[in-house]
Amino acid sequence: MCDFTNYKKLNRFYDNKINFIKERGYKEESSIKKYLYVILNENIAIKEKNKDKDLYDFSTSEIIDLINNTFITVKTGVKNQNFNIIKTYIDWAIERGLLVTGINPCDSITDNDFKISEKMAKNYYQTLDEFYDWLEKLECSNVDKALITLVRYGVEIKETVKLQFKDINKEEKTIVIRNNNDIKFLPIDDRFIEVMEKSKYCSEYDKTSYVQDNDYIVKQTRKGRSERPEINSIRNRFNIISVSNGIARINPTMLKDNREYDLLLEIAEQNGQLITKDFKDIIQIFNYKNITESSIVNKSQILKRQFIDFFPQIKVLKN
């Protein structure tokens, strides 16, 4: 069970949140922390204290303000997740007779009430030209540049450690990614191949030596204990590169999302618009073949909402 003592008692409404979590009976630590991140959020606690009322007593407009301004994210899906947690908490308060009106103010809130900061959206997407300009100036090894480029082309962190140079098809301009008996092919281009080639012949950078006697794209350092890097060490590389370059932490999720936007923008340029099928097609490209139809629909809807938030100038049909 979660150690609630790690969460500060920021106001007199703290106990309600803890009772809510305990009564819900969540067993997974990740689920508990996801809920506590929202309902015991320090910024919400401050607002509760200033207004002298529990979150369940907030009005519709106050909750919309929380969703849009308390949780800094460019992800519509994250905003929806946080909103649903708040809604669930208020439903619990109604069941316990804490909210005397018996009406959940979240019931009148729709997706259209959630807004993405225009400035954040503009900073989130980086064209491939901008990406390569940025990559060239980055001070790190060619192995690390290959890692970053893999993610920028839609490869997940956990997949990067398995990829080998033989997985790159220079003629078809694809990189194949396998997961047990499943497979997917991600589109690449000549610039991608050029970065991979530089990584292939990189043996040392700034006192760091790389293993040269295997085919892995993201090479293990000579100090490593296994033939390829661990996933956690890959995540740590992003931190090290960011710190050494004096920049904000490189966001792998943002890089991967950008690749989906690349392809959608290409379709929009060709057809003058996007339709629902385009979003489904993109989801299928970046997922394994065994993905269910319901998952395709759900993920494509999230991608569509996100794309509209980021690129309001692009015509997207509702069908």
Side-chain angles (χ1 to χ4, degrees):
M1 192 62 180
C2 184
D3 182 7
F4 296 111
T5 59
N6 291 332
Y7 293 85
K8 296 178 182 178
K9 189 169 184 177
L10 297 170
N11 60 37
R12 66 188 181 88
F13 309 112
Y14 168 91
D15 290 340
N16 287 337
K17 312 300 190 301
I18 300 303
N19 290 335
F20 161 70
I21 293 294
K22 288 180 177 179
E23 288 185 26
R24 298 294 294 184
Y26 296 114
K27 295 181 180 179
E28 294 291 331
E29 188 84 4
S30 58
S31 296
I32 294 172
K33 288 183 177 180
K34 181 174 68 176
Y35 271 74
L36 290 177
Y37 169 74
V38 176
I39 60 175
L40 284 184
N41 184 282
E42 187 170 348
N43 291 323
I44 290 181
I46 291 171
K47 289 180 183 293
E48 287 179 319
K49 188 174 182 179
N50 291 340
K51 296 175 185 292
D52 195 30
K53 60 181 180 182
D54 195 292
L55 175 60
Y56 63 69
D57 261 329
F58 278 34
S59 66
T60 297
S61 61
E62 287 172 331
I63 290 173
I64 292 173
D65 177 68
L66 280 182
I67 299 299
N68 287 329
N69 300 312
T70 298
F71 305 100
I72 306 302
T73 177
V74 293
K75 293 283 192 177
T76 303
V78 174
K79 286 181 179 287
N80 284 328
Q81 174 183 283
N82 295 339
F83 167 72
N84 287 327
I85 289 173
I86 291 174
K87 185 178 186 299
T88 302
Y89 172 67
I90 297 176
D91 282 338
W92 171 84
I94 292 173
E95 292 172 4
R96 294 294 171 274
L98 300 175
L99 182 57
V100 293
T101 63
I103 299 173
N104 192 327
C106 295
D107 291 341
S108 58
I109 298 175
T110 68
D111 289 352
N112 294 329
D113 293 311
F114 304 148
K115 306 299 179 187
I116 299 291
S117 163
E118 185 177 336
K119 182 179 180 181
M120 286 183 68
K122 188 177 293 185
N123 291 336
Y124 195 79
Y125 179 68
Q126 186 183 49
T127 67
L128 275 177
D129 286 340
E130 291 170 336
F131 167 75
Y132 279 111
D133 287 343
W134 170 81
L135 188 71
E136 185 178 355
K137 297 171 185 174
L138 207 60
E139 295 184 3
C140 62
S141 73
N142 285 329
V143 173
D144 286 336
K145 288 186 178 183
L147 165 63
I148 295 169
T149 304
L150 283 169
V151 177
R152 178 60 179 80
Y153 277 73
V155 181
E156 296 182 18
I157 292 289
K158 63 184 179 182
E159 297 167 339
T160 60
V161 297
K162 302 176 183 178
L163 290 176
Q164 297 180 298
F165 289 104
K166 65 182 180 182
D167 295 320
I168 299 173
N169 188 322
K170 297 180 182 179
E171 288 71 33
E172 296 291 332
K173 295 291 193 297
T174 59
I175 182 167
V176 59
I177 303 174
R178 298 175 179 83
N179 181 34
N180 296 324
N181 295 324
D182 214 341
I183 194 170
K184 60 183 174 182
F185 299 88
L186 301 186
I188 59 175
D189 53 33
D190 289 332
R191 288 189 291 187
F192 174 95
I193 294 171
E194 183 181 344
V195 173
M196 298 303 122
E197 286 295 313
K198 289 180 179 179
S199 172
K200 189 172 188 177
Y201 299 104
C202 178
S203 59
E204 188 173 347
Y205 178 85
D206 192 25
K207 299 180 182 180
T208 297
S209 298
Y210 294 101
V211 174
Q212 290 292 98
D213 52 0
N214 62 42
D215 196 46
Y216 290 108
I217 296 175
V218 182
K219 299 177 182 179
Q220 177 66 290
T221 63
R222 290 290 180 187
K223 294 180 179 180
R225 298 179 179 178
S226 57
E227 64 176 353
R228 65 187 188 192
E230 300 291 332
I231 294 175
N232 285 337
S233 74
I234 292 295
R235 293 194 178 100
N236 193 42
R237 281 194 192 184
F238 281 93
N239 293 330
I240 293 172
I241 296 167
S242 303
V243 171
S244 64
N245 280 268
I247 59 176
R249 184 182 182 279
I250 300 170
N251 186 338
T253 301
M254 183 186 78
L255 291 173
K256 184 174 178 294
D257 288 348
N258 276 198
R259 187 54 177 159
E260 294 179 341
Y261 302 146
D262 288 339
L263 302 185
L264 285 168
L265 289 170
E266 286 179 13
I267 297 171
E269 185 175 357
Q270 292 170 3
N271 302 335
Q273 63 186 23
L274 292 171
I275 60 176
T276 298
K277 182 179 180 300
D278 296 326
F279 294 93
K280 289 183 178 180
D281 289 345
I282 296 301
I283 291 300
Q284 287 181 294
I285 288 174
F286 291 97
N287 285 272
Y288 292 103
K289 303 300 180 184
N290 67 354
I291 184 173
T292 63
E293 181 61 30
S294 61
S295 291
I296 292 172
V297 170
N298 291 336
K299 290 185 176 184
S300 65
Q301 288 174 345
I302 293 172
L303 176 60
K304 185 176 181 179
R305 288 198 300 267
Q306 190 80 26
F307 185 86
I308 291 172
D309 283 337
F310 286 177
F311 305 98
Q313 76 278 15
I314 305 296
K315 184 177 181 181
V316 179
L317 300 186
K318 293 183 179 180
N319 67 320

